[in-house]
Amino acid sequence: MPKGQAMTFKEYLTSKKIDAKGFALGEQERFMELKNIFDQVHPDSFTAQKIFLINGIRRKYPIVETAEEAKKEVPKAKMMRPKLSITPKNKE
């Protein structure tokens, strides 16, 4: 998200791995209550105030990852072994 652009409540929920649509349909009144608070404070402040609620909501309305999305994950880079520098012994 570009700097200076405000995050929407749905984007916030997605960033917290919460299915915004499912939450809005399942608990409309709670969704609207939290959205109103979110619209008045900074996202970090909202997280600090509502962390226990957010965790419960995440467990109840998780984002379901499809098989295609799982395939898109970037594989971990292979670890490279350090190269040993072999120096010839000085002959005296």
Side-chain angles (χ1 to χ4, degrees):
M1 176 177 351
K3 247 185 178 181
Q5 186 178 2
M7 177 185 282
T8 67
F9 186 56
K10 288 184 179 185
E11 291 170 338
Y12 173 80
L13 292 175
T14 302
S15 75
K16 297 298 180 189
K17 299 181 182 181
I18 297 171
D19 177 18
K21 188 175 181 179
F23 178 40
L25 292 174
E27 298 181 49
Q28 187 175 13
E29 188 174 317
R30 189 178 201 188
F31 177 89
M32 292 306 297
E33 177 185 336
L34 292 177
K35 182 185 180 308
N36 287 335
I37 295 168
F38 180 84
D39 290 342
Q40 295 175 25
V41 298
H42 189 275
D44 293 342
S45 178
F46 182 82
T47 301
Q49 292 176 28
K50 305 295 181 186
I51 190 70
F52 294 111
L53 289 176
I54 292 167
N55 287 335
I57 294 167
R58 181 184 303 121
R59 286 186 205 99
K60 196 169 182 180
Y61 302 101
I63 291 180
V64 179
E65 189 174 285
T66 63
E68 289 178 13
E69 290 172 346
K71 289 179 185 178
K72 290 182 183 179
E73 289 183 22
V74 179
K76 290 184 180 179
K78 293 181 181 179
M79 289 186 62
M80 308 240 347
R81 293 184 183 186
K83 293 184 180 180
L84 300 176
S85 60
I86 302 173
T87 55
K89 292 183 180 180
N90 292 338
K91 293 183 181 179
E92 292 181 18

